[in-house]
Amino acid sequence: MKKWLTICAAIILVFTMAACGNKTNNGNNQANSPSNAPETTPSADNGTPEQITLKFFSALADRSNGMGKIEQAIIDSYMVENPNVKIEVEALQDEPYKAKAKVYASTESLPDIIQSWGQPSFIKPLIDSGMLLELNPADFESSGFIAGSTDGFSQDGKLYGLPRNTDFLVLYYNKKMFDDNGIAVPTTVADLVEASKQFRAKGINPITTNAMEGWSLPIWFEYAQQRTSGDFNKIDAVLNGEGTFSGDADFLAAAQSILDLADAKAFADGFLTADYGTSRNLFGQGQAAMFVMGNWEAGLATDENFPAEFRDNVGAISYPSSDKGKASDLAAWFGGGYSISQSTKHPEEAVKFMQYFFKPENWAKQLWQTGSGTPAQKFDEFLTGEESALQKGLVDVFGSTTSASNTPFHDLGTDEYKTKVMEAHQKLFGKSISPEDFLKELDAAVALLP
């Protein structure tokens, strides 16, 4: 926790500057104009650059909005500036991506550059199997990564990946829907239950999230347990063998608080079969009042696929507080990033592309200025003072952080462990299991850890 708070302090400094809006863009670099790439190196034979193809595997499936659009723009720009390089992109949603990544790994055919997560459940098996290329930190000194942000991509003092963004889970809400229905924006857990009941009574879906994929639910539960115990470290203690989920009054109360929401019919109709895109669209089209998702959805305020009425009225708050847990106690961690396959035939070009990608004026600038998320790099030089109201609200949420959860607990073990943790949560949120049995299933999952 102390280490994470130190990292938070570094990021908060940038956020504070963003909130003040005391810097302006230099006016020469537009948000969608990556910097010039290094010149290509001629081949030794005849001076003509070698024709190279890199396969790029991404979990940013939407290439027309948000982070996926930025990722593709940088790739396209690199290919224009390096005509001897062709980058072939394969992009899938998170869970299908992870399933196919396992297939690639099992056949030792990882694409040249892959999206990776600095979390043991994803990156450790690949590192242990010798499938990822070790990176030289000196090659990325100018990228401006926030201190500590590469830790999850490192093992035994060696670097195997680079972080893309800083993530934290928030409660997005539609201000107009609250106002039009005379419902107060919730500030406490009890308020959230009451607001859900009121929306449901009016025939409106209260809350949506991507429950079908499952990964947002354990993070939601981390909030629930912190609000009942006042301590994000309790789950870590269980994973470290210093306790159990079963028989703990705080964990039981947290599970019951989720059931209280389920009993209030807080979760959108059919939420257990809603994937990321479906749940996001439900919220963006005004068919749900709230959306539990990460700060990377700052682009909701600028996504022209949604009505202007929605874009002008979307806000974000931290998860509601309790008498033990404050709104400033935040579920936060470093999110996805990229790694290079050890088996790539073009390691130098892959590294060169990653250097280009993480030039601050490329990824960090575009991510912030388009309102698509928060970089894991310093980005104060790209503040415009014209950030959207939603961005400013997210700045306020993060800027008030007093404690943080760090890596989501379902990502701190094996694939089998992670699957069982997510399935247990789907059962709890779906009211198909009692709180007591839910905790037993979590303990059974923990027993799988080495």
Side-chain angles (χ1 to χ4, degrees), residues 261-375:
L261 286 167
D263 289 339
K265 297 184 179 179
F267 310 129
D269 297 337
F271 79 104
L272 284 174
T273 59
D275 63 10
Y276 196 109
T278 301
S279 58
R280 182 181 188 273
N281 192 59
L282 193 72
F283 180 59
Q285 296 297 343
Q287 298 177 47
M290 293 170 277
F291 182 34
V292 171
M293 194 46 62
N295 62 302
W296 55 84
E297 282 294 356
L300 285 166
T302 56
D303 189 343
E304 294 187 357
N305 289 307
F306 299 140
E309 181 179 88
F310 167 81
R311 287 182 271 127
D312 293 341
N313 286 283
V314 59
I317 57 174
S318 182
Y319 195 76
S321 65
S322 69
D323 58 348
K324 292 186 178 180
K326 301 182 294 292
S328 57
D329 297 317
L330 201 65
W333 66 98
F334 287 107
Y338 303 98
S339 294
I340 298 174
S341 171
Q342 175 65 43
S343 62
T344 180
K345 295 179 180 178
H346 308 288
E348 292 183 3
E349 191 66 41
V351 169
K352 181 180 166 185
F353 170 75
M354 294 308 297
Q355 289 175 309
Y356 177 81
F357 188 95
F358 282 114
K359 281 188 173 184
E361 60 267 37
N362 288 351
W363 177 255
K365 177 184 178 181
Q366 293 190 70
L367 186 68
W368 179 253
Q369 291 189 353
T370 60
S372 300
T374 306

Side-chain angles (χ1 to χ4, degrees), residues 254-264 428-429 431 433-435:
Q256 184 58 56
S257 74
I258 297 297
L259 278 189
D260 289 344
L261 286 167
D263 289 339
L428 178 69
F429 279 73
K431 294 181 63 176
I433 194 172
S434 70

Side-chain angles (χ1 to χ4, degrees), residues 142-157:
S142 63
S143 298
F145 287 106
I146 295 167
S149 64
T150 61
D151 289 358
F153 294 85
S154 303
Q155 184 168 299
D156 299 328

Side-chain angles (χ1 to χ4, degrees), residues 21-205:
N22 60 353
K23 288 201 176 185
T24 57
N25 188 24
N26 61 21
N28 296 322
N29 292 324
Q30 298 301 313
N32 292 316
S33 300
S35 68
N36 291 329
E39 295 182 0
T40 55
T41 302
S43 67
D45 296 329
N46 56 16
T48 301
E50 176 189 4
Q51 294 301 306
I52 290 172
T53 296
L54 294 176
K55 293 185 177 181
F56 188 98
F57 190 29
S58 172
L60 298 177
D62 186 351
R63 313 302 285 178
S64 61
N65 290 290
M67 290 194 288
K69 181 178 181 179
I70 299 168
E71 183 182 77
Q72 188 62 54
I74 296 174
I75 289 171
D76 291 343
S77 179
Y78 188 82
M79 288 191 291
V80 168
E81 297 173 22
N82 296 270
N84 66 309
V85 179
K86 180 180 180 181
I87 300 178
E88 297 178 347
V89 177
E90 179 182 7
L92 300 173
Q93 294 274 9
D94 273 17
E95 295 311 312
Y97 172 91
K98 291 174 182 176
K100 189 157 187 183
K102 292 178 187 177
V103 174
Y104 279 133
S106 67
T107 57
E108 298 185 358
S109 57
L110 282 180
D112 300 279
I113 301 171
I114 67 168
Q115 177 165 326
S116 60
W117 285 265
Q119 300 157 351
S121 64
F122 185 89
I123 200 168
K124 183 173 173 54
L126 296 176
I127 295 174
D128 291 346
S129 299
M131 293 187 177
L132 299 183
L133 184 72
E134 181 186 347
L135 303 177
N136 182 356
D139 289 338
F140 301 94
E141 284 183 353
S142 63
S143 298
F145 287 106
I146 295 167
S149 64
T150 61
D151 289 358
F153 294 85
S154 303
Q155 184 168 299
D156 299 328
K158 298 179 180 179
L159 182 66
Y160 295 95
L162 299 164
R164 192 174 58 204
N165 40 286
T166 304
D167 296 335
F168 50 99
L169 201 73
V170 298
L171 183 67
Y172 292 96
Y173 68 102
N174 187 319
K175 300 174 186 177
K176 191 172 189 301
M177 290 181 73
F178 274 87
D179 291 342
D180 287 351
N181 290 281
I183 299 173
V185 176
T187 59
T188 68
V189 173
D191 290 343
L192 182 60
V193 173
E194 181 58 31
S196 296
K197 290 179 179 177
Q198 293 179 38
F199 276 117
R200 183 58 71 182
K202 294 175 180 290
I204 299 171
N205 284 310

